Amino acid sequence: MRTGVLDIGSNSAHLLVVDLMAGLPPLPVGTVKCPTRLAEAIGPDGTIEEPAVGRLVAAVRQAVEEARELEVDELVVFATSAVRDAANATEILGRIERACGVRPGFLSGEAEARLTFHAVRAWYGWSAGGILLADIGGGSLELAYGRAALGGAEPQVAMSLPLGAGRLTRRFLPDDPPRRKDLRRLRRRVEAKLERRLPVLREAVAEVPDRPLLAVATSRTFTQLAVLTGAPRASAGPYARRTLDRADLRAQIPRLARRPAERRARMRGVSRPRARQIVAGAIVAERVMAALDLTRVEICPWALREGVALHRLLALTDPEHADRTVLTDLLQPMPDPGGRRRRHLAVLG
């Protein structure tokens, strides 16, 4: 089964195409990334502004065309928190459906955390023991913890917090570079949210019998922060080991905060699309590591899209799993300009 996974996020619409075969990991066929830049275009009333909606529709259209070119058999299309939480989400979905022939569904924040954990567990294997996961997106922060001895791919705790780098930048850091008082206000906000939600996670980790604990981070934000602090660049490939040390990260935050986004984009590892929100992302990453008493995290190259592909593979090969999958089997025809019809797999919340 050739499956496309189209993840519509606050920074881009990212298509991953894989071949799914029983007994093998998802085999990558191609990937396409189309910019959306939604995080910078959400108004005070929570609506995504018109120019950004146009970019979003164009990005999805390009990704769907690429999926057709790669001859996918089914397409899993979902939007994460930027669209899910928008005041005009229903209107946006309708425009995408009319223009592109697919209607994205939504995953809850907890489902995103669980699927990402599934990918991380598959990457590191059962011998990794307990895994503690953090994933910073544009709109939310996902955290999960699970032990290999208690179900393996399914975490015992999974949660989502409204601490995405784009969301926090928009709300707390209006100036570029940010003012010190705004940075302090942001840090206090992050600490307060973590303090309310982390006790359950800390308790689960404290009960771990299978030490040592493997602390893992995914997402472009964590990856860019790791490269900023000296980890191998993307050109080194996915198998290069990348880690992020909290002390190194803490030392970089003042350097990031002193520079405007244009100059941050010239720093090692920082991409132009994320330069505006990397300060907020760095503060969240450092505060999460401090709150969980982590001195270092491993950077995993697999994340949500790979977790969706793995979940779909399991549903195809295990009928019992298919009955309880978070990805529904609702298939829609996807018109093809060449006259063929392919299938679109929607995701429902």
Side-chain angles (χ1 to χ4, degrees):
M1 177 75 72
R2 177 160 292 183
T3 295
V5 180
L6 177 54
D7 173 0
I8 304 169
S10 59
N11 290 294
S12 64
H14 198 152
L15 172 70
L16 171 69
V17 177
V18 294
D19 282 339
L20 302 179
M21 289 180 280
L24 293 174
L27 303 176
V29 175
T31 183
V32 178
K33 195 173 182 180
C34 311
T36 59
R37 306 198 311 279
L38 301 183
E40 62 196 49
I42 299 178
D45 61 351
T47 61
I48 297 177
E49 297 166 353
E50 175 52 38
V53 174
R55 286 196 302 271
L56 173 60
V57 171
V60 174
R61 185 188 297 114
Q62 181 181 345
V64 170
E65 290 299 323
E66 293 289 345
R68 290 194 181 102
E69 289 294 321
L70 292 170
E71 299 186 335
V72 300
D73 296 305
E74 61 182 26
L75 186 62
V76 185
V77 189
F78 61 92
T80 50
S81 63
V83 177
R84 183 178 66 222
D85 299 339
N88 55 340
T90 301
E91 175 191 339
I92 291 170
L93 294 185
R95 285 186 57 176
I96 292 173
E97 185 172 25
R98 290 190 297 273
C100 310
V102 298
R103 185 178 181 87
F106 297 121
L107 291 169
S108 69
E110 181 181 333
E112 289 183 26
R114 290 184 174 279
L115 288 164
T116 304
F117 184 90
H118 193 170
V120 170
R121 170 63 74 192
W123 181 266
Y124 288 102
W126 310 115
S127 63
I131 290 179
L132 179 61
L133 164 70
D135 183 331
I136 300 173
S140 59
L141 162 72
E142 275 69 54
L143 298 169
Y145 164 74
R147 284 186 267 165
L150 293 178
E154 290 297 322
Q156 278 69 65
V157 178
M159 63 180 66
S160 180
L161 290 74
L163 296 178
R167 181 195 298 264
L168 295 177
T169 300
R170 188 171 62 252
R171 182 170 179 183
F172 292 95
L173 305 180
D175 298 314
D176 183 32
R179 294 180 295 177
R180 289 185 180 179
K181 69 175 184 178
D182 290 334
L183 292 169
R184 289 194 295 269
R185 192 163 63 101
L186 169 59
R187 189 173 287 106
R188 287 196 297 268
R189 174 70 170 185
V190 173
E191 290 171 347
K193 284 284 187 183
L194 291 175
E195 190 56 36
R196 282 197 292 270
R197 296 294 302 277
L198 288 193
V200 172
L201 191 62
R202 290 195 191 102
E203 289 173 11
V205 172
E207 296 173 358
V208 176
D210 48 355
R211 297 283 184 178
L213 178 72
L214 178 62
V216 179
T218 68
S219 77
R220 190 66 62 181
T221 295
F222 267 115
T223 301
Q224 291 193 4
L225 291 171
V227 175
L228 174 68
T229 58
R233 297 178 185 268
S235 57
Y239 296 104
R241 185 183 180 218
R242 297 175 178 88
T243 63
L244 176 62
D245 287 354
R246 190 173 93 215
D248 294 340
L249 173 59
R250 189 167 57 244
Q252 289 291 339
I253 291 175
R255 294 184 63 227
L256 288 167
R258 283 194 299 266
R259 292 166 165 79
E262 182 180 356
R263 289 181 59 201
R264 284 183 221 132
R266 297 196 290 268
M267 297 175 71
R268 188 179 196 271
V270 179
S271 69
R272 185 168 298 279
R274 295 179 188 272
R276 180 78 175 83
Q277 64 187 46
I278 196 70
V279 176
I283 290 172
V284 173
E286 194 277 330
R287 288 294 81 197
V288 167
M289 293 175 71
L292 294 172
D293 196 25
L294 304 174
T295 58
R296 178 184 297 111
V297 292
E298 297 275 343
I299 306 298
C300 180
W302 277 10
L304 178 58
R305 287 177 293 278
E306 289 79 9
V308 170
L310 287 162
H311 209 70
R312 183 61 184 146
L313 175 59
L314 188 54
L316 291 169
T317 56
D318 180 356
E320 291 186 5
H321 179 82
D323 291 338
R324 60 179 187 274
T325 179
V326 297
L327 307 181
T328 74
D329 59 354
L330 177 61
L331 299 176
Q332 308 176 152
M334 189 168 76
D336 186 279
R340 292 177 298 177
R341 296 176 76 82
R342 296 198 175 276
R343 293 181 295 170
H344 161 237
L345 177 63
V347 181
L348 302 182

